Amino acid sequence: VLALSSTEVDVSPVQVGQQITVKWRGKPVFIRHRTEQDIAEARAVPLEDLKDPQTDEERVERPEWLIMVGVCTHLGCVPLGQKASEPRGEWGGWFCPCHGSHYDTAGRIRKGPAPLNLPVPEHAFLTDTKIKIG
Ligand code: FES
């Protein structure tokens, strides 16, 4: 069995408030350079409000960088919200139009049929702007 591949991403061009999508193991990985407001909103949420309770701190290694597999945990669509023109749902994160799942600025499921948060892949910061995924 071949070792599952990892990928390195240079995020230096990604400004605060922007995001990029990279492919990893055939799946889209969302990398969002979060604003102070994104982070503050994610951290203000009481855990009891969450269907899949996880703190923001558990989901990010560095608060400004949120890294997740961009596959909805309902039926596997790619949620909207990576482009400025796309809807981000009621919690300002991502919105999956298939059956209306809303994810917050930490990628946690807040409303709709998806049962789980968008998964955070194993990753590590090699430098301040270089991230190894996988
Ligand atoms: Fe996302 Fe159905 S696949 S709501």
Side-chain angles (χ1 to χ4, degrees):
V1 178
L2 288 173
L4 289 170
S5 58
S6 58
T7 192
E8 286 181 18
V9 185
D10 175 14
V11 292
S12 55
V14 186
Q15 303 298 311
V16 175
Q18 293 184 331
Q19 53 272 315
I20 57 170
T21 304
V22 299
K23 277 272 180 195
W24 172 68
R25 296 183 190 171
K27 292 185 180 147
V29 170
F30 294 169
I31 301 176
R32 183 172 283 181
H33 195 169
R34 299 193 299 177
T35 64
E36 291 291 331
Q37 190 185 342
D38 290 335
I39 298 164
E41 284 176 10
R43 298 197 166 190
V45 179
L47 275 185
E48 54 267 29
D49 286 3
L50 299 172
K51 192 195 274 190
D52 179 13
Q54 254 189 336
T55 63
D56 186 61
E57 288 86 341
E58 286 174 78
R59 294 178 53 76
V60 292
E61 190 181 312
R62 300 192 183 192
E64 63 273 34
W65 293 108
L66 176 64
I67 299 156
M68 314 178 297
V69 176
V71 175
C72 183
T73 60
H74 176 224
L75 294 174
C77 294
V78 176
L80 302 176
Q82 284 297 92
K83 296 195 182 113
S85 58
E86 291 177 348
R88 291 187 168 183
E90 289 176 29
W91 283 269
W94 289 263
F95 174 65
C96 188
C98 143
H99 291 88
S101 286
H102 297 247
Y103 294 91
D104 68 12
T105 60
R108 295 172 301 197
I109 183 66
R110 302 300 299 274
K111 182 176 171 184
L116 298 171
N117 303 332
L118 294 175
V120 175
E122 198 180 312
H123 65 273
F125 283 83
L126 303 177
T127 69
D128 282 349
T129 54
K130 195 183 246 193
I131 304 169
K132 181 179 172 205
I133 300 169

